[in-house]
Amino acid sequence: MSQLESTDRLKAMIADSDYIVFFGGAGVSTESGIPDFRSQDGLYSQKYKYPPETMLSAGFFRSNAGEFFEFYRNKLIYPDVKPNKAHLKLAELERLGKLKAVVTQNIDGLHQLAGSETVLELHGSVLRNFCLKCRKSFGIETVTGSEGVPECDCGGTIKPDVVLFGEGLNPDTVESAAEHISRADMLIVGGTSLNVYPAAGLLRYYRGTRLVLINMDATPYDDRANLIIRGKIGETLGNI
Ligand code: NAD
């Protein structure tokens, strides 16, 4: 199928659907300039003292908080990024009443910046931070505007509200995402390798016949898709 034919098919599926859910990952934000993990230019192809999964783990945060924050500030925080055509189109579909929820593995807050309202952040957000001792909340500037390990007035360590490797997902967020996906008449999955569990396992809740995968590379779920678009998600959604 040509790119034009698949875009037409995608448009027709959207026109026929009333409960669209989008499930996405780091690839949704690469066209905004944030690298993903598993693409050729992704974080996993770069060389560090420890593998990224180690540096972004709960155990590493506890034992090497200084090194954690150095890596985190350099590689996971992009203060001046803007939403791209994918984020903007999804927000537009929500305003039109077509799309009911964005379920994202991203932690960059770009869906909300684009205007999406129902955004289920499975892995949290770099924009929220909290004191591990007194639970006080802090914005992103507490992390970007400090050096070393950021500390609360009470002396507690401030931790980003992101789910580190080895930590569990928020059960309410997972439940809500599963509920939306099980009610969806169309599920658009994009910009994700579908390698990160338990997030990727949420796809099993979809029972409809309009599963669309928009991704640069193949995924383990390709054989279940009703439409596969191998291309950039911002360009693809920007054309509908
Ligand atoms: P991943 O890196 O494992 O996979 C990204 C996928 O997106 C790849 O299959 C790649 O081919 C595809 N891709 C890249 N650019 C694309 C584009 N423009 N259009 C279409 N497809 C594109 O990412 P993942 O599956 O989300 O899992 C990685 C984890 O890393 C997630 O848990 C996420 O929280 C985290 N992460 C988040 C960000 C962010 O918030 N922007 C950035 C890096 C990593």
Side-chain angles (χ1 to χ4, degrees), residues 26 30-31 37-38 105 107-108 123 192-193 215-217 233:
T30 53
E31 287 161 86
F37 277 180
R38 291 178 182 78
Q105 300 164 85
I107 54 177
D108 54 33
H123 296 156
T192 170
S193 62
N215 213 55
M216 302 275 278
D217 296 302
I233 190 161

Side-chain angles (χ1 to χ4, degrees), residues 23-180:
F23 180 95
V28 175
S29 295
T30 53
E31 287 161 86
S32 292
I34 305 180
D36 63 9
F37 277 180
R38 291 178 182 78
S39 288
Q40 243 178 348
D41 310 328
L43 225 51
Y44 283 14
S45 321
Q46 304 171 21
K47 284 273 163 283
Y48 303 102
K49 197 164 149 198
Y50 310 95
E53 298 99 306
T54 303
M55 282 192 280
L56 295 173
S57 68
F60 195 78
F61 180 84
R62 275 192 301 271
S63 56
N64 299 48
E67 272 184 279
F68 168 89
F69 275 106
E70 195 184 328
F71 182 74
Y72 177 82
R73 284 191 186 95
N74 282 334
K75 298 295 174 188
L76 289 185
I77 297 190
Y78 296 84
D80 298 321
V81 284
K82 303 226 164 11
N84 63 49
K85 288 177 183 169
H87 302 104
L88 294 169
K89 180 57 73 174
L90 293 166
E92 183 188 323
L93 289 172
E94 184 179 10
R95 278 196 299 279
L96 293 171
K98 286 263 174 200
L99 184 138
K100 304 299 181 198
V102 167
V103 179
T104 183
Q105 300 164 85
N106 290 349
I107 54 177
D108 54 33
L110 286 180
H111 285 293
Q112 291 91 332
L113 204 57
S116 286
E117 289 188 1
T118 306
V119 182
L120 299 164
E121 296 174 310
L122 295 170
H123 296 156
S125 172
V126 295
L127 303 180
R128 296 187 299 269
N129 300 274
F130 65 98
C131 170
L132 286 173
K133 199 165 155 196
C134 71
R135 313 308 284 187
K136 186 174 167 192
S137 300
F138 296 88
I140 190 169
E141 58 294 338
T142 305
V143 176
T144 52
S146 60
E147 283 181 11
V149 181
E151 266 193 15
C152 180
D153 290 344
C154 79
T157 298
I158 295 172
K159 180 187 178 292
D161 188 9
V162 299
V163 178
L164 300 176
F165 287 99
E167 290 181 329
L169 273 50
N170 180 314
D172 294 339
T173 310
V174 173
E175 196 184 319
S176 181
E179 167 78 19
H180 278 295

